[in-house]
Amino acid sequence: MSDDHTEQGTSGANRTTGIDRRGFLAAAGTGATAAVAGCSGLGGGGGSGIKIGGVYLLSGIAQALGTASANAARVAVEQINQDGGIMGEEVEIEVRDHGEDPQAQIRSVAQEFGADVMIGLTSSGVTLASAPTIESLGVPFTLTDIGTPFITEPDTEAYGNYFESDDGKAAFTPNIFRTNSNTSHMTYAIAKFVADNYGDSRIANMGPDYAYGQQTWDYFKAYSEGLGMNHEYVASEFPQLGASDMTPQINTVLDADPDLLFTSFWAGDTTTFISQAAEQGLFDQVDDVFDTIGADPTVFKALGDTTPEGIHMSGWYYYDAFDNENNQAFVDAYREKYGSDETTPAVPGFTGGSTYAAIYMYKKAIEAAGSTNPDDIISELEGITIDNDPRGPTTIKENTHQATAPCVIGETSFDADVPYDGAGLVNTQTYTLTRSRAKELLSGSGLGPGL
């Protein structure tokens, strides 16, 4: 089980694309009509039942992550329906792929399917580009798989408006909420772990060559400085997203002779990196390797016996890191539903806890509001405590719409109890972080905490 690191300031990350924000409004289709879902006050624009819409990447490099989120949502919906639904109404869920036009899918789910509330997404870049569309629709939208701190950073005076300035970092949107941890929090946790366990070190970086990889590295360095560390940064390499050959970048890191390697790979990039780094002997040369959101059963299953033991990988959730009855109920239900599905591991992925929590959060908010009126739900969501969260009770902060959710760091091991041939995590530790502590540590960096 997990050790909880929870100082007032001790206790994330996902994927952004380098989209030109000056094209956001056009790309996001902000001319979309106002929301029609929930206009009658109950059930998708006048129909019976409660409708939950989802939009995730269900194809391509992030297929496994999007699928794991969709699976977790369906598990929660089935449980809620078995217990009588929401306000006695059956819950219906429809999940779509981002596809090539994510804003069109978001509008369709809100307007044609008639979603009362929505969940998603799998790309921070898509989220930031879609925020104007989501705002114009008015439907409550909860992010369960998004790393960028910008989307829950409201302080435009301190950090600039993301949608109006090329260097702005505050992109808060009134009807967007988030139940997963984020890049700011996740990189803090790794910086804190390194500070506590290794002290000043020679550190190299590898990550995907787009905004997410660069952003995580910036946050890690900023938090390390805030923690008083004097690391020597000896190399920083950014292979192309989805690269099939990372050996040139791995060789550069090996030549730099670091003590530690910080990485920000996820999904298929994690398997590519670990496989090729193992072939080149990287894990024998460095003292430790850290990864921001690579700790996922799909990664470990794909790697089989290739995963090196004793490196540290992290995520927003790990299925056996939380010892409480809500987590056990979630894991048991997930195993029952997907245990015989050979296309996916029989345990939730690292986005599972935040997605499951989002569905139960909506149930509580709708029942408290007594209707599916969007404004009423949004009002209930601000400051709401999610009692059924598998990670333990979490609260949506009223001023940022970010959940007070922990993140997890664990050590890779083949002794872990996993339902597949491969490694898992042991000696897991959870980290939390307050906004005030994050601002203190990030002071002078220009980076917003998003907490």
Side-chain angles (χ1 to χ4, degrees), residues 153-186:
E153 178 51 60
D155 192 347
T156 56
E157 182 175 348
Y159 305 109
N161 189 314
Y162 185 88
F163 301 106
E164 296 178 0
S165 170
D166 285 339
D167 59 356
K169 296 179 176 63
F172 176 86
T173 303
N175 58 320
I176 291 181
F177 299 80
R178 174 161 45 193
T179 51
N180 65 276
S181 178
N182 66 42
T183 297
S184 170
H185 181 192
M186 186 64 69

Side-chain angles (χ1 to χ4, degrees), residues 71 75 297-298 301 319 330-349 417-421:
N71 289 350
V75 167
T298 58
K301 181 179 180 181
Y319 70 94
F330 171 42
V331 173
D332 289 347
Y334 196 101
R335 284 179 181 269
E336 181 178 353
K337 185 171 179 63
Y338 295 105
S340 60
D341 187 344
E342 296 182 357
T343 66
T344 185
V347 288
D417 182 15
V418 296
Y420 51 83
D421 293 330

Side-chain angles (χ1 to χ4, degrees), residues 14-15 55-58 62-76 93 95 119-122 143-146 296 316 330 334 338 344 348-356 359:
N14 208 326
R15 298 153 292 283
V55 180
Y56 291 100
L57 278 173
L58 302 177
Q63 177 179 2
L65 299 187
T67 299
S69 296
N71 289 350
R74 292 185 181 109
V75 167
I93 184 169
V95 181
I119 57 174
L121 297 153
T122 320
L143 307 172
T144 65
D145 181 13
I146 296 301
D296 190 81
W316 302 321
F330 171 42
Y334 196 101
Y338 295 105
T344 185
F350 84 93
T351 64
S354 51
T355 308
Y356 182 89
I359 303 301

Side-chain angles (χ1 to χ4, degrees), residues 52-266:
I52 298 176
V55 180
Y56 291 100
L57 278 173
L58 302 177
S59 58
I61 189 173
Q63 177 179 2
L65 299 187
T67 299
S69 296
N71 289 350
R74 292 185 181 109
V75 167
V77 167
E78 285 192 7
Q79 287 183 320
I80 289 171
N81 282 335
Q82 289 170 3
D83 291 338
I86 296 177
M87 295 192 301
E89 296 283 336
E90 186 87 357
V91 180
E92 180 183 357
I93 184 169
E94 178 168 314
V95 181
R96 305 252 189 102
D97 191 355
H98 280 191
E100 296 182 358
D101 190 347
Q103 289 83 38
Q105 290 293 347
I106 291 168
R107 286 194 296 270
S108 177
V109 170
Q111 295 176 326
E112 296 173 21
F113 173 64
D116 298 297
V117 293
M118 295 183 65
I119 57 174
L121 297 153
T122 320
S123 163
S124 291
V126 167
T127 299
L128 291 166
S130 302
T133 293
I134 293 171
E135 182 175 6
S136 72
L137 291 167
V139 179
F141 198 113
T142 295
L143 307 172
T144 65
D145 181 13
I146 296 301
T148 176
F150 298 177
I151 198 67
T152 48
E153 178 51 60
D155 192 347
T156 56
E157 182 175 348
Y159 305 109
N161 189 314
Y162 185 88
F163 301 106
E164 296 178 0
S165 170
D166 285 339
D167 59 356
K169 296 179 176 63
F172 176 86
T173 303
N175 58 320
I176 291 181
F177 299 80
R178 174 161 45 193
T179 51
N180 65 276
S181 178
N182 66 42
T183 297
S184 170
H185 181 192
M186 186 64 69
T187 52
Y188 160 78
I190 296 176
K192 177 65 174 169
F193 186 100
V194 170
D196 290 345
N197 292 278
Y198 289 103
D200 292 335
S201 303
R202 289 170 53 84
I203 301 179
N205 166 69
M206 281 188 68
D209 188 18
Y210 71 124
Y212 166 69
Q214 296 155 4
Q215 189 180 98
T216 54
W217 183 227
D218 288 342
Y219 271 94
F220 173 79
K221 290 185 292 184
Y223 274 122
S224 294
E225 181 178 349
L227 289 166
M229 305 311 298
N230 188 30
H231 299 312
E232 180 182 359
Y233 300 113
V234 297
S236 185
E237 293 293 308
F238 294 98
Q240 183 179 357
L241 179 66
S244 60
D245 183 9
M246 298 185 184
T247 55
Q249 293 84 11
I250 293 170
N251 283 331
T252 298
V253 168
L254 287 168
D255 290 342
D257 192 27
D259 302 320
L260 308 174
L261 176 62
F262 174 90
T263 73
S264 51
F265 296 117
W266 52 277

